């Protein structure tokens, strides 16, 4: 049973740093390659670049929660929610595309 997980390609859990501008500040985020791939997919599904998606996610999370104790963990759980089928509504997607244009 664990062979599926134990035998995975190590490339998927290789750490990758990306520099992104969030709230006017440059920052570096370190995530595993698999999570970066998923974030790229989520951003594309929203009609956004990955940096723009991450910046919007940050802004909205601050607006809703007031703070983000661990942003890298939030990005990982965002990927988990996406894999579990959580998607923005059609209206939210249309609004994102209008903003991006």
């Amino acid at each position: 049973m664990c062979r599926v997980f134990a035998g995975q390609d190590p490339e998927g859990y290789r750490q990758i740093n990306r520099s992104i501008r969030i709230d006017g500040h440059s920052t570096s985020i370190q995530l595993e390659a698999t999570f970066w791939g998923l974030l790229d997919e989520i951003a594309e599904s929203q009609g956004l670049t990955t940096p723009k998606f991450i910046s919007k996610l940050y802004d909205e999370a601050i607006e809703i929660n007031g703070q983000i104790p661990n942003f890298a963990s939030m990005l990982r759980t965002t990927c988990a929610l996406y894999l579990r089928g959580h998607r923005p509504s059609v209206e939210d997607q249309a609004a994102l595309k209008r903003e991006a244009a």
Side-chain angles (χ1 to χ4, degrees):
M1 175 180 110
C2 290
R3 291 178 102 21
V4 171
F5 305 114
Q8 68 182 292
D9 183 355
E11 183 63 24
Y13 52 86
R14 179 175 58 91
Q15 294 285 313
I16 297 174
N17 282 302
R18 287 194 190 175
S19 292
I20 295 180
R21 185 168 289 282
I22 297 176
D23 198 26
H25 302 6
S26 284
T27 188
S28 181
I29 300 172
Q30 183 178 48
L31 295 172
E32 295 76 13
T34 297
F35 289 112
W36 282 119
L38 283 166
L39 288 169
D40 292 342
E41 183 179 320
I42 295 167
E44 184 178 333
S45 76
Q46 303 299 307
L48 300 170
T49 64
T50 302
K52 182 70 173 173
F53 169 74
I54 290 172
S55 181
K56 287 186 76 57
L57 179 63
Y58 178 88
D59 291 344
E60 289 181 19
I62 290 294
E63 182 180 317
I64 293 167
N65 299 311
Q67 65 176 344
I68 305 168
N70 187 330
F71 192 57
S73 291
M74 182 187 172
L75 292 173
R76 288 182 187 93
T77 56
T78 295
C79 292
L81 288 169
Y82 177 77
L83 290 174
R84 288 182 176 165
H86 296 272
R87 306 287 194 280
S89 69
V90 173
E91 295 83 20
D92 287 342
Q93 287 182 18
L96 276 171
K97 288 180 181 176
R98 282 193 303 275
E99 288 177 21

XYZ file of all heavy atoms in Angstrom:
795
model
N 0.817 -1.184 0.000
C 0.000 0.000 0.000
C 0.865 1.254 0.000
O 0.629 2.181 -0.758
C -0.927 0.013 1.209
C -1.723 1.287 1.320
S -2.803 1.296 2.733
C -1.992 2.504 3.718
N 1.871 1.336 0.843
C 2.695 2.539 0.932
C 3.654 2.681 -0.243
O 4.264 3.727 -0.410
C 3.483 2.546 2.239
S 2.427 2.816 3.671
N 3.794 1.640 -1.075
C 4.712 1.695 -2.202
C 4.353 2.818 -3.163
O 5.223 3.440 -3.759
C 4.751 0.362 -2.928
C 5.432 -0.737 -2.085
C 5.441 -2.060 -2.772
N 6.596 -2.592 -3.427
C 7.880 -2.290 -3.266
N 8.239 -1.339 -2.457
N 8.827 -2.919 -3.900
N 3.078 3.105 -3.303
C 2.652 4.201 -4.177
C 3.244 5.515 -3.680
O 3.729 6.332 -4.464
C 1.109 4.304 -4.219
C 0.666 5.567 -4.935
C 0.510 3.073 -4.864
N 3.215 5.702 -2.382
C 3.733 6.937 -1.795
C 5.249 6.892 -1.647
O 5.941 7.862 -1.948
C 3.078 7.201 -0.442
C 1.574 7.219 -0.527
C 0.822 6.239 0.100
C 0.918 8.193 -1.262
C -0.562 6.242 0.024
C -0.462 8.212 -1.357
C -1.208 7.236 -0.717
N 5.767 5.761 -1.170
C 7.202 5.631 -0.934
C 7.993 5.647 -2.242
O 9.130 6.119 -2.276
C 7.490 4.347 -0.168
N 7.388 5.180 -3.304
C 8.079 5.084 -4.584
C 7.944 6.304 -5.472
O 8.359 6.278 -6.626
N 7.399 7.385 -4.927
C 7.216 8.578 -5.756
C 8.545 9.176 -6.189
O 9.568 8.989 -5.544
C 6.374 9.619 -5.017
C 7.055 10.222 -3.808
C 6.178 11.208 -3.093
O 5.891 12.265 -3.636
N 5.730 10.839 -1.904
N 8.495 9.902 -7.291
C 9.675 10.565 -7.835
C 10.143 11.654 -6.868
O 9.374 12.555 -6.532
C 9.305 11.177 -9.188
C 10.481 11.834 -9.889
O 11.586 11.907 -9.312
O 10.277 12.295 -11.030
N 11.393 11.602 -6.412
C 11.910 12.617 -5.493
C 11.832 14.038 -6.051
O 11.832 15.002 -5.299
C 13.365 12.207 -5.258
C 13.392 10.749 -5.546
C 12.372 10.531 -6.634
N 11.749 14.183 -7.352
C 11.626 15.509 -7.955
C 10.380 16.228 -7.442
O 10.363 17.444 -7.310
C 11.581 15.389 -9.486
C 11.530 16.703 -10.213
C 12.765 17.576 -9.990
O 13.847 17.063 -9.671
O 12.624 18.802 -10.147
N 9.335 15.489 -7.130
C 8.084 16.076 -6.659
C 8.196 16.743 -5.302
O 7.460 17.681 -5.010
N 9.116 16.298 -4.466
C 9.257 16.924 -3.154
C 10.549 17.718 -3.010
O 10.923 18.141 -1.920
C 9.073 15.929 -1.999
C 9.898 14.664 -2.032
C 11.180 14.645 -1.516
C 9.375 13.481 -2.550
C 11.936 13.483 -1.512
C 10.118 12.319 -2.556
C 11.398 12.318 -2.037
O 12.137 11.169 -2.044
N 11.171 18.004 -4.156
C 12.335 18.897 -4.151
C 11.866 20.302 -3.791
O 10.852 20.780 -4.276
C 12.979 18.901 -5.540
C 14.188 19.809 -5.666
C 14.834 19.665 -7.049
N 13.918 19.966 -8.130
C 13.752 21.179 -8.684
N 14.429 22.213 -8.218
N 12.913 21.350 -9.682
N 12.604 20.957 -2.903
C 12.266 22.311 -2.458
C 12.631 23.328 -3.545
O 13.732 23.276 -4.091
C 13.011 22.666 -1.176
C 12.611 21.838 0.020
C 11.269 22.252 0.578
O 11.011 23.425 0.773
N 10.413 21.296 0.812
N 11.700 24.234 -3.832
C 11.929 25.293 -4.806
C 11.573 26.625 -4.149
O 10.516 26.752 -3.528
C 11.061 25.091 -6.073
C 11.454 23.798 -6.768
C 11.175 26.288 -7.003
C 10.564 23.442 -7.950
N 12.458 27.593 -4.291
C 12.202 28.961 -3.816
C 11.778 29.811 -5.002
O 12.400 29.754 -6.057
C 13.465 29.576 -3.217
C 13.743 29.066 -1.837
O 12.912 29.193 -0.957
N 14.916 28.488 -1.638
N 10.731 30.595 -4.815
C 10.323 31.574 -5.816
C 10.189 32.922 -5.132
O 9.662 33.014 -4.021
C 8.978 31.202 -6.445
C 9.033 30.040 -7.401
C 7.755 29.990 -8.217
N 7.659 28.763 -8.988
C 6.602 28.435 -9.712
N 5.548 29.241 -9.775
N 6.578 27.310 -10.386
N 10.670 33.941 -5.815
C 10.514 35.308 -5.315
C 9.225 35.875 -5.903
O 8.997 35.782 -7.111
C 11.691 36.175 -5.734
O 12.844 35.749 -5.061
N 8.401 36.440 -5.033
C 7.098 36.977 -5.426
C 6.890 38.301 -4.707
O 7.304 38.468 -3.557
C 5.977 35.983 -5.084
C 6.140 34.714 -5.907
C 4.604 36.583 -5.293
C 5.100 33.658 -5.664
N 6.254 39.228 -5.382
C 5.912 40.516 -4.768
C 4.507 40.392 -4.187
O 3.547 40.112 -4.889
C 5.966 41.629 -5.803
C 5.732 42.998 -5.190
C 6.070 44.096 -6.167
N 7.492 44.226 -6.406
C 8.362 44.821 -5.592
N 7.954 45.349 -4.463
N 9.641 44.904 -5.888
N 4.411 40.584 -2.867
C 3.132 40.520 -2.156
C 2.976 41.802 -1.358
O 3.863 42.170 -0.592
C 3.064 39.297 -1.211
C 3.154 38.001 -2.021
C 1.776 39.316 -0.398
C 3.193 36.755 -1.171
N 1.857 42.454 -1.564
C 1.554 43.684 -0.825
C 2.685 44.707 -0.958
O 3.062 45.371 0.005
C 1.274 43.346 0.648
C 0.543 44.462 1.385
O -0.167 45.252 0.722
O 0.686 44.546 2.616
N 3.271 44.781 -2.165
C 4.323 45.753 -2.430
C 5.708 45.360 -1.957
O 6.651 46.116 -2.133
N 5.860 44.172 -1.367
C 7.155 43.736 -0.845
C 7.583 42.452 -1.554
O 6.765 41.548 -1.757
C 7.085 43.453 0.650
C 6.641 44.606 1.491
N 6.195 45.793 0.998
C 6.581 44.751 2.829
C 5.880 46.612 1.980
N 6.100 46.004 3.104
N 8.857 42.371 -1.894
C 9.383 41.132 -2.456
C 9.598 40.144 -1.323
O 10.108 40.502 -0.262
C 10.709 41.376 -3.168
O 10.492 41.991 -4.398
N 9.194 38.924 -1.570
C 9.378 37.877 -0.574
C 9.732 36.588 -1.286
O 9.464 36.426 -2.480
C 8.108 37.701 0.298
O 8.401 36.804 1.371
C 6.946 37.165 -0.499
N 10.319 35.674 -0.580
C 10.677 34.376 -1.119
C 9.816 33.321 -0.444
O 9.668 33.327 0.778
C 12.156 34.096 -0.858
O 12.512 32.848 -1.393
N 9.252 32.450 -1.263
C 8.415 31.367 -0.735
C 9.049 30.043 -1.143
O 9.363 29.839 -2.317
C 6.972 31.454 -1.272
C 6.329 32.780 -0.869
C 6.145 30.273 -0.768
C 4.975 33.032 -1.514
N 9.227 29.159 -0.175
C 9.795 27.838 -0.447
C 8.705 26.787 -0.301
O 8.103 26.642 0.766
C 10.947 27.543 0.514
C 11.621 26.220 0.225
C 12.789 25.968 1.154
O 12.675 26.129 2.357
N 13.912 25.565 0.589
N 8.476 26.066 -1.389
C 7.515 24.959 -1.401
C 8.096 23.813 -2.221
O 9.008 24.006 -3.029
C 6.191 25.387 -2.054
C 5.365 26.462 -1.368
C 4.213 26.879 -2.276
C 4.835 25.962 -0.042
N 7.519 22.650 -2.045
C 7.908 21.500 -2.838
C 7.412 21.692 -4.282
O 6.406 22.349 -4.528
C 7.310 20.228 -2.236
C 7.832 19.890 -0.856
C 7.268 20.739 0.280
O 6.280 21.466 0.073
O 7.836 20.687 1.381
N 8.134 21.082 -5.227
C 7.818 21.224 -6.655
C 6.365 20.853 -6.957
O 5.710 21.507 -7.773
C 8.771 20.361 -7.483
N 5.846 19.829 -6.308
C 4.467 19.414 -6.534
C 3.488 20.528 -6.202
O 2.521 20.772 -6.942
C 4.135 18.149 -5.714
O 4.973 17.080 -6.180
C 2.677 17.749 -5.845
N 3.726 21.240 -5.104
C 2.830 22.335 -4.727
C 2.933 23.494 -5.714
O 1.921 24.114 -6.043
C 3.089 22.797 -3.292
C 2.640 21.793 -2.275
C 3.564 21.123 -1.498
C 1.297 21.509 -2.098
C 3.151 20.184 -0.556
C 0.876 20.576 -1.163
C 1.810 19.913 -0.391
N 4.141 23.791 -6.192
C 4.271 24.850 -7.195
C 3.512 24.473 -8.459
O 2.848 25.316 -9.065
C 5.740 25.145 -7.506
C 6.399 25.977 -6.456
C 7.471 25.638 -5.686
C 6.034 27.307 -6.059
N 7.783 26.668 -4.823
C 6.921 27.707 -5.037
C 5.040 28.199 -6.455
C 6.854 28.958 -4.421
C 4.968 29.441 -5.838
C 5.862 29.809 -4.839
N 3.588 23.215 -8.850
C 2.837 22.770 -10.025
C 1.336 22.936 -9.844
O 0.626 23.373 -10.758
N 0.849 22.592 -8.661
C -0.579 22.764 -8.382
C -0.974 24.232 -8.338
O -2.025 24.611 -8.859
C -0.948 22.085 -7.059
C -1.073 20.571 -7.121
C -1.090 19.979 -5.719
C -2.321 20.178 -7.893
N -0.148 25.081 -7.738
C -0.452 26.511 -7.700
C -0.464 27.094 -9.114
O -1.314 27.935 -9.434
C 0.537 27.253 -6.812
C 0.364 26.999 -5.317
C 1.546 27.569 -4.532
C -0.953 27.567 -4.805
N 0.441 26.626 -9.973
C 0.428 27.063 -11.370
C -0.890 26.667 -12.036
O -1.498 27.446 -12.773
C 1.600 26.453 -12.140
C 2.967 26.978 -11.709
O 3.038 28.049 -11.072
O 3.961 26.295 -12.020
N -1.345 25.458 -11.775
C -2.608 24.957 -12.336
C -3.805 25.759 -11.824
O -4.702 26.126 -12.593
C -2.756 23.478 -11.972
C -3.973 22.801 -12.543
C -4.033 21.333 -12.166
O -2.985 20.647 -12.156
O -5.150 20.853 -11.877
N -3.834 26.017 -10.522
C -4.932 26.787 -9.935
C -4.948 28.195 -10.531
O -6.009 28.697 -10.935
C -4.794 26.863 -8.398
C -4.942 25.476 -7.771
C -5.837 27.815 -7.816
C -4.514 25.403 -6.309
N -3.794 28.827 -10.601
C -3.716 30.189 -11.156
C -4.205 30.210 -12.592
O -5.004 31.083 -12.973
C -2.279 30.698 -11.066
N -3.765 29.252 -13.379
C -4.188 29.192 -14.784
C -5.700 29.018 -14.891
O -6.350 29.648 -15.731
C -3.472 28.047 -15.503
C -3.791 27.993 -16.978
C -3.036 26.890 -17.689
O -1.945 26.499 -17.238
O -3.549 26.417 -18.716
N -6.271 28.212 -14.006
C -7.723 28.000 -14.034
C -8.484 29.278 -13.696
O -9.655 29.412 -14.036
C -8.132 26.871 -13.079
O -8.100 27.309 -11.730
N -7.813 30.216 -13.029
C -8.413 31.497 -12.662
C -8.096 32.588 -13.684
O -8.519 33.730 -13.516
C -7.895 31.950 -11.291
C -8.123 30.963 -10.183
C -9.585 30.682 -9.944
O -10.351 31.604 -9.761
N -9.970 29.433 -9.977
N -7.320 32.233 -14.697
C -6.929 33.220 -15.694
C -5.888 34.197 -15.178
O -5.806 35.332 -15.646
N -5.078 33.753 -14.205
C -4.071 34.608 -13.589
C -2.700 33.962 -13.694
O -2.586 32.742 -13.840
C -4.391 34.818 -12.102
C -5.722 35.470 -11.752
C -5.980 35.370 -10.259
C -5.737 36.920 -12.212
N -1.665 34.780 -13.554
C -0.327 34.221 -13.382
C -0.240 33.696 -11.953
O -1.020 34.111 -11.084
C 0.755 35.290 -13.600
O 0.621 36.291 -12.582
C 0.656 35.914 -14.990
N 0.718 32.855 -11.698
C 0.881 32.328 -10.339
C 1.206 33.443 -9.337
O 0.576 33.491 -8.272
C 1.941 31.216 -10.306
O 1.529 30.179 -11.215
C 2.099 30.630 -8.921
N 2.118 34.364 -9.653
C 2.365 35.451 -8.687
C 1.117 36.301 -8.421
O 0.857 36.677 -7.277
C 3.470 36.282 -9.344
C 4.166 35.326 -10.244
C 3.093 34.406 -10.749
N 0.351 36.595 -9.462
C -0.865 37.398 -9.280
C -1.883 36.634 -8.430
O -2.522 37.208 -7.544
C -1.460 37.752 -10.652
C -2.685 38.614 -10.579
C -2.351 40.011 -10.122
C -3.575 40.900 -10.232
N -3.353 42.207 -9.649
N -2.040 35.327 -8.680
C -2.958 34.511 -7.881
C -2.537 34.514 -6.408
O -3.361 34.720 -5.515
C -3.016 33.068 -8.406
C -3.732 32.136 -7.487
C -5.113 32.175 -7.367
C -3.032 31.229 -6.713
C -5.787 31.331 -6.493
C -3.691 30.374 -5.836
C -5.069 30.426 -5.730
N -1.246 34.303 -6.150
C -0.754 34.247 -4.773
C -0.950 35.595 -4.087
O -1.362 35.656 -2.925
C 0.718 33.787 -4.739
C 0.783 32.299 -5.122
C 1.342 34.021 -3.366
C 2.190 31.771 -5.319
N -0.697 36.672 -4.798
C -0.886 38.007 -4.234
C -2.353 38.263 -3.892
O -2.672 38.792 -2.821
C -0.375 39.055 -5.223
O -0.528 40.344 -4.694
N -3.273 37.882 -4.797
C -4.702 38.048 -4.537
C -5.140 37.184 -3.362
O -5.924 37.615 -2.522
C -5.529 37.712 -5.778
C -5.427 38.767 -6.877
C -6.352 38.483 -8.016
C -7.772 38.810 -7.706
N -8.080 40.162 -7.295
N -4.638 35.960 -3.295
C -4.963 35.066 -2.191
C -4.515 35.677 -0.865
O -5.273 35.687 0.109
C -4.302 33.704 -2.410
C -4.503 32.649 -1.338
C -5.973 32.267 -1.214
C -3.661 31.421 -1.652
N -3.316 36.204 -0.848
C -2.788 36.850 0.353
C -3.687 38.014 0.771
O -4.099 38.109 1.925
C -1.361 37.335 0.096
C -0.763 38.068 1.269
C -0.099 37.379 2.273
C -0.877 39.450 1.386
C 0.445 38.049 3.363
C -0.339 40.128 2.470
C 0.312 39.418 3.454
O 0.831 40.079 4.532
N -3.983 38.900 -0.178
C -4.815 40.073 0.127
C -6.181 39.675 0.679
O -6.657 40.249 1.662
C -5.005 40.942 -1.118
C -3.728 41.645 -1.553
O -2.776 41.718 -0.751
O -3.685 42.112 -2.717
N -6.805 38.693 0.052
C -8.131 38.266 0.505
C -8.073 37.597 1.871
O -8.958 37.796 2.705
C -8.778 37.339 -0.530
C -9.188 38.076 -1.794
C -9.841 37.186 -2.829
O -10.323 36.081 -2.467
O -9.872 37.584 -3.999
N -7.032 36.808 2.114
C -6.899 36.142 3.416
C -6.681 37.172 4.527
O -7.252 37.036 5.616
C -5.754 35.135 3.382
N -5.887 38.190 4.251
C -5.684 39.262 5.237
C -7.002 39.978 5.490
O -7.355 40.273 6.637
C -4.596 40.252 4.767
C -3.222 39.592 4.798
C -4.615 41.538 5.585
C -2.712 39.229 6.180
N -7.739 40.254 4.422
C -9.031 40.933 4.555
C -10.004 40.115 5.405
O -10.707 40.649 6.262
C -9.626 41.169 3.171
C -10.943 41.910 3.166
C -11.478 42.096 1.753
O -10.690 42.433 0.863
O -12.689 41.878 1.560
N -10.027 38.816 5.210
C -10.967 37.938 5.912
C -10.500 37.623 7.336
O -11.282 37.681 8.286
C -11.182 36.630 5.121
C -11.921 36.932 3.810
C -11.950 35.605 5.947
C -11.907 35.776 2.817
N -9.203 37.281 7.486
C -8.701 36.777 8.770
C -7.856 37.773 9.565
O -7.568 37.517 10.725
C -7.872 35.506 8.543
C -8.693 34.412 7.916
O -9.788 34.113 8.375
N -8.191 33.820 6.841
N -7.406 38.839 8.923
C -6.593 39.822 9.620
C -5.115 39.494 9.680
O -4.285 40.373 9.815
N -4.759 38.232 9.583
C -3.361 37.812 9.598
C -3.233 36.421 8.994
O -4.233 35.699 8.867
C -2.812 37.803 11.023
C -3.476 36.784 11.926
C -2.825 36.749 13.299
O -1.730 37.246 13.498
N -3.503 36.147 14.264
N -2.020 36.070 8.647
C -1.725 34.724 8.138
C -0.502 34.231 8.901
O 0.621 34.662 8.629
C -1.438 34.736 6.626
C -2.587 35.386 5.859
C -1.206 33.311 6.126
C -2.257 35.697 4.416
N -0.696 33.341 9.877
C 0.434 32.893 10.696
C 1.524 32.169 9.908
O 2.696 32.288 10.229
C -0.203 31.954 11.716
C -1.658 32.272 11.703
C -1.968 32.806 10.341
N 1.158 31.402 8.880
C 2.139 30.646 8.104
C 1.643 30.578 6.659
O 0.860 29.704 6.302
C 2.325 29.254 8.706
C 3.450 28.495 8.036
O 3.745 28.677 6.855
N 4.078 27.619 8.794
N 2.128 31.506 5.838
C 1.621 31.609 4.471
C 1.976 30.387 3.626
O 1.165 29.930 2.829
C 2.125 32.896 3.810
C 1.434 33.208 2.517
C 0.050 33.339 2.453
C 2.160 33.377 1.358
C -0.590 33.636 1.260
C 1.527 33.676 0.161
C 0.152 33.805 0.108
N 3.159 29.825 3.785
C 3.534 28.635 3.020
C 2.582 27.472 3.333
O 2.156 26.746 2.434
C 4.976 28.238 3.298
N 2.237 27.319 4.591
C 1.276 26.267 4.963
C -0.091 26.555 4.360
O -0.790 25.638 3.921
C 1.163 26.156 6.480
O 2.358 25.649 7.020
N -0.480 27.828 4.337
C -1.754 28.186 3.723
C -1.755 27.819 2.232
O -2.759 27.331 1.707
C -2.042 29.672 3.888
C -3.389 30.063 3.309
S -3.591 31.836 3.345
C -5.088 31.947 2.395
N -0.629 28.030 1.558
C -0.548 27.669 0.141
C -0.677 26.157 -0.047
O -1.346 25.690 -0.969
C 0.756 28.187 -0.468
C 0.861 29.706 -0.591
C 2.259 30.104 -1.050
C -0.196 30.257 -1.526
N -0.062 25.392 0.847
C -0.172 23.929 0.757
C -1.623 23.475 0.987
O -2.132 22.605 0.286
C 0.754 23.254 1.769
C 2.215 23.355 1.423
C 3.076 22.604 2.450
N 4.475 22.823 2.225
C 5.192 23.778 2.823
N 4.635 24.588 3.720
N 6.477 23.908 2.563
N -2.296 24.066 1.967
C -3.681 23.655 2.222
C -4.604 24.152 1.113
O -5.619 23.516 0.827
C -4.180 24.114 3.606
O -4.035 25.526 3.731
C -3.414 23.408 4.720
N -4.250 25.259 0.471
C -4.996 25.705 -0.711
C -4.939 24.620 -1.780
O -5.963 24.291 -2.406
C -4.410 27.029 -1.251
O -4.600 28.045 -0.268
C -5.051 27.437 -2.566
N -3.770 24.045 -1.981
C -3.617 22.959 -2.957
C -4.457 21.739 -2.561
O -5.085 21.114 -3.408
C -2.146 22.561 -3.087
S -1.116 23.836 -3.849
N -4.472 21.420 -1.269
C -5.269 20.282 -0.795
C -6.759 20.532 -1.037
O -7.480 19.635 -1.491
C -5.010 20.021 0.688
N -7.218 21.744 -0.754
C -8.626 22.076 -1.001
C -8.953 21.953 -2.484
O -10.003 21.433 -2.866
C -8.946 23.487 -0.497
C -8.992 23.658 1.011
C -9.037 25.141 1.382
C -10.190 22.924 1.591
N -8.054 22.427 -3.323
C -8.240 22.330 -4.773
C -8.350 20.863 -5.205
O -9.237 20.506 -5.983
C -7.066 23.029 -5.467
C -7.094 22.949 -6.960
C -7.954 23.755 -7.704
C -6.238 22.095 -7.649
C -7.962 23.701 -9.087
C -6.238 22.037 -9.026
C -7.101 22.837 -9.750
O -7.116 22.774 -11.123
N -7.469 20.022 -4.678
C -7.508 18.600 -5.038
C -8.773 17.907 -4.534
O -9.219 16.925 -5.114
C -6.269 17.881 -4.494
C -4.965 18.251 -5.175
C -3.785 17.596 -4.446
C -4.980 17.872 -6.651
N -9.344 18.435 -3.459
C -10.592 17.878 -2.928
C -11.817 18.409 -3.662
O -12.945 18.082 -3.298
C -10.711 18.190 -1.441
C -9.748 17.398 -0.598
C -9.936 17.698 0.860
N -9.068 16.854 1.658
C -8.795 17.072 2.919
N -9.315 18.120 3.544
N -8.011 16.263 3.573
N -11.593 19.244 -4.670
C -12.697 19.691 -5.506
C -13.258 21.058 -5.182
O -14.242 21.476 -5.780
N -12.653 21.768 -4.239
C -13.123 23.115 -3.908
C -12.677 24.067 -5.013
O -11.487 24.158 -5.309
C -12.574 23.578 -2.557
C -13.067 22.753 -1.425
N -14.231 23.039 -0.768
C -12.561 21.627 -0.858
C -14.424 22.129 0.176
N -13.420 21.260 0.134
N -13.643 24.730 -5.641
C -13.356 25.659 -6.728
C -14.171 26.927 -6.536
O -15.266 26.894 -5.977
C -13.739 25.061 -8.090
C -13.135 23.701 -8.427
C -11.650 23.820 -8.751
N -11.092 22.645 -9.375
C -10.728 21.539 -8.758
N -10.925 21.410 -7.472
N -10.177 20.545 -9.408
N -13.659 28.059 -7.030
C -14.451 29.293 -6.983
C -15.714 29.139 -7.823
O -15.743 28.384 -8.793
C -13.530 30.347 -7.596
C -12.165 29.777 -7.501
C -12.327 28.288 -7.567
N -16.738 29.877 -7.439
C -17.994 29.838 -8.195
C -17.770 30.436 -9.581
O -16.785 31.123 -9.840
C -19.072 30.649 -7.463
O -18.748 32.025 -7.509
N -18.701 30.194 -10.471
C -18.637 30.746 -11.821
C -18.588 32.270 -11.761
O -17.833 32.913 -12.495
C -19.852 30.253 -12.654
C -19.905 30.937 -14.001
C -19.800 28.737 -12.812
N -19.354 32.849 -10.847
C -19.367 34.311 -10.693
C -18.006 34.825 -10.234
O -17.513 35.846 -10.730
C -20.454 34.751 -9.698
C -21.864 34.469 -10.142
C -22.314 33.034 -9.841
O -21.704 32.358 -8.977
O -23.265 32.588 -10.487
N -17.392 34.129 -9.279
C -16.071 34.532 -8.796
C -15.030 34.433 -9.916
O -14.175 35.303 -10.052
C -15.627 33.675 -7.612
C -16.375 33.989 -6.333
O -16.983 35.070 -6.241
O -16.342 33.134 -5.421
N -15.114 33.377 -10.723
C -14.176 33.207 -11.823
C -14.352 34.320 -12.852
O -13.363 34.862 -13.364
C -14.366 31.847 -12.484
C -13.861 30.706 -11.631
C -14.006 29.359 -12.302
O -14.179 29.261 -13.519
N -13.933 28.302 -11.516
N -15.588 34.686 -13.159
C -15.842 35.756 -14.112
C -15.290 37.088 -13.586
O -14.690 37.854 -14.334
C -17.342 35.870 -14.389
N -15.467 37.345 -12.301
C -14.952 38.579 -11.704
C -13.431 38.619 -11.772
O -12.840 39.666 -12.071
C -15.432 38.707 -10.254
N -12.796 37.489 -11.509
C -11.330 37.422 -11.597
C -10.849 37.720 -13.005
O -9.883 38.451 -13.210
C -10.836 36.037 -11.171
C -10.648 35.787 -9.691
C -10.376 34.322 -9.417
C -9.542 36.645 -9.140
N -11.527 37.160 -13.990
C -11.119 37.367 -15.379
C -11.308 38.826 -15.785
O -10.483 39.388 -16.516
C -11.882 36.428 -16.310
C -11.397 34.994 -16.162
C -12.120 34.033 -17.063
C -11.577 32.627 -16.803
N -12.262 31.613 -17.552
N -12.375 39.464 -15.299
C -12.582 40.895 -15.593
C -11.474 41.731 -14.967
O -10.951 42.650 -15.583
C -13.939 41.356 -15.074
C -15.099 40.953 -15.956
C -16.376 41.700 -15.558
N -16.763 41.509 -14.168
C -17.497 40.485 -13.713
N -17.929 39.559 -14.547
N -17.800 40.407 -12.437
N -11.103 41.405 -13.745
C -10.038 42.145 -13.051
C -8.702 41.963 -13.746
O -7.891 42.888 -13.807
C -9.908 41.685 -11.609
C -11.037 42.138 -10.708
C -10.896 41.593 -9.300
O -9.771 41.224 -8.911
O -11.903 41.541 -8.584
N -8.448 40.756 -14.258
C -7.173 40.449 -14.892
C -7.041 41.149 -16.248
O -5.930 41.415 -16.701
C -7.005 38.946 -15.062
N -8.162 41.446 -16.870
C -8.119 42.066 -18.222
C -7.749 43.512 -18.205
O -7.645 44.198 -17.303
C -9.485 41.905 -18.880
